Amino acid sequence: MQSGWSVHFISPDGKTRIGPWLLHDSHDEVLKILEWCDITPEELEEHHSAIRRWGCSSAVVWLTDPKLAALIKRGEGWPWNGYELRQMKEAGKYPPERLTLANVRRATAKKA
């Protein structure tokens, strides 16, 4: 049984992360993300099939320029991956505060 769901976006080069990793509590929340991405019926069926078979999935979606820009903007100051975010959530520290220069300076000053 899944204990949580994570979603992330990779560029067509298959290497470059676009935007943040997102944690979700249910598959329904993941399906809402896929709807936002305008997933095709064929890709959605493949997603469901992969979830049934392996418990994980990847799907190809074609984002409009505004949606791509929104993902890139949302990813600013969000360097964590799904594994790190799940650890934070289990420790009661989720969602983390976005990393900004001011936040880093404040955290550094507390340690000094």
Side-chain angles (χ1 to χ4, degrees), residues 5 10 47 51 54 57-58 61 71 91-92 95 106:
W5 299 81
I10 304 291
H47 163 78
I51 292 295
W54 301 301
S57 170
S58 64
V61 295
L71 274 176
R106 187 172 44 247

mmCIF file with all atom_site columns, all heavy atoms in Angstrom, residues 5 10 47 51 54 57-58 61 71 91-92 95 106:
data_model
loop_
_atom_site.group_PDB
_atom_site.id
_atom_site.type_symbol
_atom_site.label_atom_id
_atom_site.label_alt_id
_atom_site.label_comp_id
_atom_site.label_asym_id
_atom_site.label_entity_id
_atom_site.label_seq_id
_atom_site.pdbx_PDB_ins_code
_atom_site.Cartn_x
_atom_site.Cartn_y
_atom_site.Cartn_z
_atom_site.occupancy
_atom_site.B_iso_or_equiv
_atom_site.pdbx_formal_charge
_atom_site.auth_seq_id
_atom_site.auth_comp_id
_atom_site.auth_asym_id
_atom_site.auth_atom_id
_atom_site.pdbx_PDB_model_num
ATOM 1   N N   . TRP A 1 5   ? 2.377  9.923  -2.093  1.00 0.00 ? 5   TRP A N   1
ATOM 2   C CA  . TRP A 1 5   ? 2.583  10.042 -3.532  1.00 0.00 ? 5   TRP A CA  1
ATOM 3   C C   . TRP A 1 5   ? 3.451  11.248 -3.801  1.00 0.00 ? 5   TRP A C   1
ATOM 4   O O   . TRP A 1 5   ? 3.291  12.283 -3.164  1.00 0.00 ? 5   TRP A O   1
ATOM 5   C CB  . TRP A 1 5   ? 1.243  10.220 -4.234  1.00 0.00 ? 5   TRP A CB  1
ATOM 6   C CG  . TRP A 1 5   ? 0.315  9.064  -4.038  1.00 0.00 ? 5   TRP A CG  1
ATOM 7   C CD1 . TRP A 1 5   ? -0.472 8.814  -2.947  1.00 0.00 ? 5   TRP A CD1 1
ATOM 8   C CD2 . TRP A 1 5   ? 0.096  7.989  -4.937  1.00 0.00 ? 5   TRP A CD2 1
ATOM 9   N NE1 . TRP A 1 5   ? -1.173 7.659  -3.131  1.00 0.00 ? 5   TRP A NE1 1
ATOM 10  C CE2 . TRP A 1 5   ? -0.847 7.135  -4.342  1.00 0.00 ? 5   TRP A CE2 1
ATOM 11  C CE3 . TRP A 1 5   ? 0.591  7.683  -6.196  1.00 0.00 ? 5   TRP A CE3 1
ATOM 12  C CZ2 . TRP A 1 5   ? -1.303 5.977  -4.971  1.00 0.00 ? 5   TRP A CZ2 1
ATOM 13  C CZ3 . TRP A 1 5   ? 0.141  6.541  -6.817  1.00 0.00 ? 5   TRP A CZ3 1
ATOM 14  C CH2 . TRP A 1 5   ? -0.794 5.689  -6.213  1.00 0.00 ? 5   TRP A CH2 1
ATOM 15  N N   . ILE A 1 10  ? 10.152 16.245 -15.512 1.00 0.00 ? 10  ILE A N   1
ATOM 16  C CA  . ILE A 1 10  ? 11.461 16.163 -16.150 1.00 0.00 ? 10  ILE A CA  1
ATOM 17  C C   . ILE A 1 10  ? 11.316 16.687 -17.578 1.00 0.00 ? 10  ILE A C   1
ATOM 18  O O   . ILE A 1 10  ? 10.347 16.391 -18.265 1.00 0.00 ? 10  ILE A O   1
ATOM 19  C CB  . ILE A 1 10  ? 11.963 14.696 -16.199 1.00 0.00 ? 10  ILE A CB  1
ATOM 20  C CG1 . ILE A 1 10  ? 12.007 14.082 -14.806 1.00 0.00 ? 10  ILE A CG1 1
ATOM 21  C CG2 . ILE A 1 10  ? 13.308 14.596 -16.902 1.00 0.00 ? 10  ILE A CG2 1
ATOM 22  C CD1 . ILE A 1 10  ? 13.064 14.642 -13.902 1.00 0.00 ? 10  ILE A CD1 1
ATOM 23  N N   . HIS A 1 47  ? -0.914 5.236  -17.259 1.00 0.00 ? 47  HIS A N   1
ATOM 24  C CA  . HIS A 1 47  ? -0.590 5.594  -15.866 1.00 0.00 ? 47  HIS A CA  1
ATOM 25  C C   . HIS A 1 47  ? -1.297 4.636  -14.902 1.00 0.00 ? 47  HIS A C   1
ATOM 26  O O   . HIS A 1 47  ? -0.675 4.067  -14.007 1.00 0.00 ? 47  HIS A O   1
ATOM 27  C CB  . HIS A 1 47  ? -1.006 7.046  -15.584 1.00 0.00 ? 47  HIS A CB  1
ATOM 28  C CG  . HIS A 1 47  ? -1.095 7.366  -14.123 1.00 0.00 ? 47  HIS A CG  1
ATOM 29  N ND1 . HIS A 1 47  ? 0.032  7.609  -13.360 1.00 0.00 ? 47  HIS A ND1 1
ATOM 30  C CD2 . HIS A 1 47  ? -2.157 7.456  -13.297 1.00 0.00 ? 47  HIS A CD2 1
ATOM 31  C CE1 . HIS A 1 47  ? -0.347 7.839  -12.117 1.00 0.00 ? 47  HIS A CE1 1
ATOM 32  N NE2 . HIS A 1 47  ? -1.668 7.758  -12.061 1.00 0.00 ? 47  HIS A NE2 1
ATOM 33  N N   . ILE A 1 51  ? 0.454  1.920  -12.339 1.00 0.00 ? 51  ILE A N   1
ATOM 34  C CA  . ILE A 1 51  ? 0.201  1.966  -10.890 1.00 0.00 ? 51  ILE A CA  1
ATOM 35  C C   . ILE A 1 51  ? -0.267 0.597  -10.404 1.00 0.00 ? 51  ILE A C   1
ATOM 36  O O   . ILE A 1 51  ? 0.192  0.104  -9.367  1.00 0.00 ? 51  ILE A O   1
ATOM 37  C CB  . ILE A 1 51  ? -0.836 3.060  -10.543 1.00 0.00 ? 51  ILE A CB  1
ATOM 38  C CG1 . ILE A 1 51  ? -0.253 4.462  -10.796 1.00 0.00 ? 51  ILE A CG1 1
ATOM 39  C CG2 . ILE A 1 51  ? -1.327 2.927  -9.106  1.00 0.00 ? 51  ILE A CG2 1
ATOM 40  C CD1 . ILE A 1 51  ? 0.911  4.848  -9.924  1.00 0.00 ? 51  ILE A CD1 1
ATOM 41  N N   . TRP A 1 54  ? 3.071  -1.838 -10.919 1.00 0.00 ? 54  TRP A N   1
ATOM 42  C CA  . TRP A 1 54  ? 4.336  -1.575 -10.225 1.00 0.00 ? 54  TRP A CA  1
ATOM 43  C C   . TRP A 1 54  ? 4.239  -0.608 -9.052  1.00 0.00 ? 54  TRP A C   1
ATOM 44  O O   . TRP A 1 54  ? 5.192  -0.399 -8.327  1.00 0.00 ? 54  TRP A O   1
ATOM 45  C CB  . TRP A 1 54  ? 5.380  -1.041 -11.209 1.00 0.00 ? 54  TRP A CB  1
ATOM 46  C CG  . TRP A 1 54  ? 5.651  -1.984 -12.323 1.00 0.00 ? 54  TRP A CG  1
ATOM 47  C CD1 . TRP A 1 54  ? 6.111  -3.273 -12.213 1.00 0.00 ? 54  TRP A CD1 1
ATOM 48  C CD2 . TRP A 1 54  ? 5.467  -1.760 -13.713 1.00 0.00 ? 54  TRP A CD2 1
ATOM 49  N NE1 . TRP A 1 54  ? 6.227  -3.853 -13.457 1.00 0.00 ? 54  TRP A NE1 1
ATOM 50  C CE2 . TRP A 1 54  ? 5.841  -2.933 -14.402 1.00 0.00 ? 54  TRP A CE2 1
ATOM 51  C CE3 . TRP A 1 54  ? 5.027  -0.680 -14.465 1.00 0.00 ? 54  TRP A CE3 1
ATOM 52  C CZ2 . TRP A 1 54  ? 5.788  -3.054 -15.774 1.00 0.00 ? 54  TRP A CZ2 1
ATOM 53  C CZ3 . TRP A 1 54  ? 4.972  -0.797 -15.836 1.00 0.00 ? 54  TRP A CZ3 1
ATOM 54  C CH2 . TRP A 1 54  ? 5.346  -1.979 -16.464 1.00 0.00 ? 54  TRP A CH2 1
ATOM 55  N N   . SER A 1 57  ? 4.568  5.254  -11.711 1.00 0.00 ? 57  SER A N   1
ATOM 56  C CA  . SER A 1 57  ? 4.237  5.543  -13.098 1.00 0.00 ? 57  SER A CA  1
ATOM 57  C C   . SER A 1 57  ? 5.012  6.752  -13.576 1.00 0.00 ? 57  SER A C   1
ATOM 58  O O   . SER A 1 57  ? 5.465  7.579  -12.787 1.00 0.00 ? 57  SER A O   1
ATOM 59  C CB  . SER A 1 57  ? 2.736  5.837  -13.210 1.00 0.00 ? 57  SER A CB  1
ATOM 60  O OG  . SER A 1 57  ? 2.416  6.348  -14.485 1.00 0.00 ? 57  SER A OG  1
ATOM 61  N N   . SER A 1 58  ? 5.155  6.857  -14.875 1.00 0.00 ? 58  SER A N   1
ATOM 62  C CA  . SER A 1 58  ? 5.614  8.094  -15.498 1.00 0.00 ? 58  SER A CA  1
ATOM 63  C C   . SER A 1 58  ? 4.681  8.334  -16.677 1.00 0.00 ? 58  SER A C   1
ATOM 64  O O   . SER A 1 58  ? 4.134  7.398  -17.247 1.00 0.00 ? 58  SER A O   1
ATOM 65  C CB  . SER A 1 58  ? 7.072  7.994  -15.957 1.00 0.00 ? 58  SER A CB  1
ATOM 66  O OG  . SER A 1 58  ? 7.194  7.023  -16.962 1.00 0.00 ? 58  SER A OG  1
ATOM 67  N N   . VAL A 1 61  ? 3.530  14.356 -20.869 1.00 0.00 ? 61  VAL A N   1
ATOM 68  C CA  . VAL A 1 61  ? 2.551  15.429 -21.033 1.00 0.00 ? 61  VAL A CA  1
ATOM 69  C C   . VAL A 1 61  ? 3.218  16.568 -21.784 1.00 0.00 ? 61  VAL A C   1
ATOM 70  O O   . VAL A 1 61  ? 4.424  16.758 -21.704 1.00 0.00 ? 61  VAL A O   1
ATOM 71  C CB  . VAL A 1 61  ? 1.989  15.924 -19.682 1.00 0.00 ? 61  VAL A CB  1
ATOM 72  C CG1 . VAL A 1 61  ? 1.188  14.841 -18.992 1.00 0.00 ? 61  VAL A CG1 1
ATOM 73  C CG2 . VAL A 1 61  ? 3.088  16.426 -18.779 1.00 0.00 ? 61  VAL A CG2 1
ATOM 74  N N   . LEU A 1 71  ? 5.407  26.155 -13.510 1.00 0.00 ? 71  LEU A N   1
ATOM 75  C CA  . LEU A 1 71  ? 6.173  25.107 -12.822 1.00 0.00 ? 71  LEU A CA  1
ATOM 76  C C   . LEU A 1 71  ? 7.582  25.577 -12.496 1.00 0.00 ? 71  LEU A C   1
ATOM 77  O O   . LEU A 1 71  ? 8.088  25.335 -11.397 1.00 0.00 ? 71  LEU A O   1
ATOM 78  C CB  . LEU A 1 71  ? 6.260  23.851 -13.683 1.00 0.00 ? 71  LEU A CB  1
ATOM 79  C CG  . LEU A 1 71  ? 5.120  22.872 -13.578 1.00 0.00 ? 71  LEU A CG  1
ATOM 80  C CD1 . LEU A 1 71  ? 5.325  21.738 -14.566 1.00 0.00 ? 71  LEU A CD1 1
ATOM 81  C CD2 . LEU A 1 71  ? 4.991  22.344 -12.180 1.00 0.00 ? 71  LEU A CD2 1
ATOM 82  N N   . ALA A 1 91  ? 9.003  13.874 9.958   1.00 0.00 ? 91  ALA A N   1
ATOM 83  C CA  . ALA A 1 91  ? 9.559  14.574 11.124  1.00 0.00 ? 91  ALA A CA  1
ATOM 84  C C   . ALA A 1 91  ? 8.690  15.767 11.534  1.00 0.00 ? 91  ALA A C   1
ATOM 85  O O   . ALA A 1 91  ? 9.033  16.489 12.462  1.00 0.00 ? 91  ALA A O   1
ATOM 86  C CB  . ALA A 1 91  ? 10.977 15.048 10.816  1.00 0.00 ? 91  ALA A CB  1
ATOM 87  N N   . GLY A 1 92  ? 7.576  15.982 10.830  1.00 0.00 ? 92  GLY A N   1
ATOM 88  C CA  . GLY A 1 92  ? 6.690  17.092 11.154  1.00 0.00 ? 92  GLY A CA  1
ATOM 89  C C   . GLY A 1 92  ? 7.191  18.443 10.684  1.00 0.00 ? 92  GLY A C   1
ATOM 90  O O   . GLY A 1 92  ? 6.775  19.474 11.195  1.00 0.00 ? 92  GLY A O   1
ATOM 91  N N   . PRO A 1 95  ? 5.257  21.540 5.030   1.00 0.00 ? 95  PRO A N   1
ATOM 92  C CA  . PRO A 1 95  ? 6.216  21.844 3.972   1.00 0.00 ? 95  PRO A CA  1
ATOM 93  C C   . PRO A 1 95  ? 7.354  22.711 4.488   1.00 0.00 ? 95  PRO A C   1
ATOM 94  O O   . PRO A 1 95  ? 7.162  23.522 5.396   1.00 0.00 ? 95  PRO A O   1
ATOM 95  C CB  . PRO A 1 95  ? 5.378  22.606 2.940   1.00 0.00 ? 95  PRO A CB  1
ATOM 96  C CG  . PRO A 1 95  ? 4.290  23.244 3.744   1.00 0.00 ? 95  PRO A CG  1
ATOM 97  C CD  . PRO A 1 95  ? 4.021  22.309 4.898   1.00 0.00 ? 95  PRO A CD  1
ATOM 98  N N   . ARG A 1 106 ? 19.432 33.983 7.677   1.00 0.00 ? 106 ARG A N   1
ATOM 99  C CA  . ARG A 1 106 ? 18.835 33.830 9.011   1.00 0.00 ? 106 ARG A CA  1
ATOM 100 C C   . ARG A 1 106 ? 19.261 32.509 9.642   1.00 0.00 ? 106 ARG A C   1
ATOM 101 O O   . ARG A 1 106 ? 19.640 32.457 10.807  1.00 0.00 ? 106 ARG A O   1
ATOM 102 C CB  . ARG A 1 106 ? 17.314 33.941 8.899   1.00 0.00 ? 106 ARG A CB  1
ATOM 103 C CG  . ARG A 1 106 ? 16.614 33.974 10.217  1.00 0.00 ? 106 ARG A CG  1
ATOM 104 C CD  . ARG A 1 106 ? 15.103 34.272 10.143  1.00 0.00 ? 106 ARG A CD  1
ATOM 105 N NE  . ARG A 1 106 ? 14.398 33.554 9.100   1.00 0.00 ? 106 ARG A NE  1
ATOM 106 C CZ  . ARG A 1 106 ? 13.843 34.122 8.041   1.00 0.00 ? 106 ARG A CZ  1
ATOM 107 N NH1 . ARG A 1 106 ? 13.940 35.419 7.840   1.00 0.00 ? 106 ARG A NH1 1
ATOM 108 N NH2 . ARG A 1 106 ? 13.204 33.395 7.152   1.00 0.00 ? 106 ARG A NH2 1
#
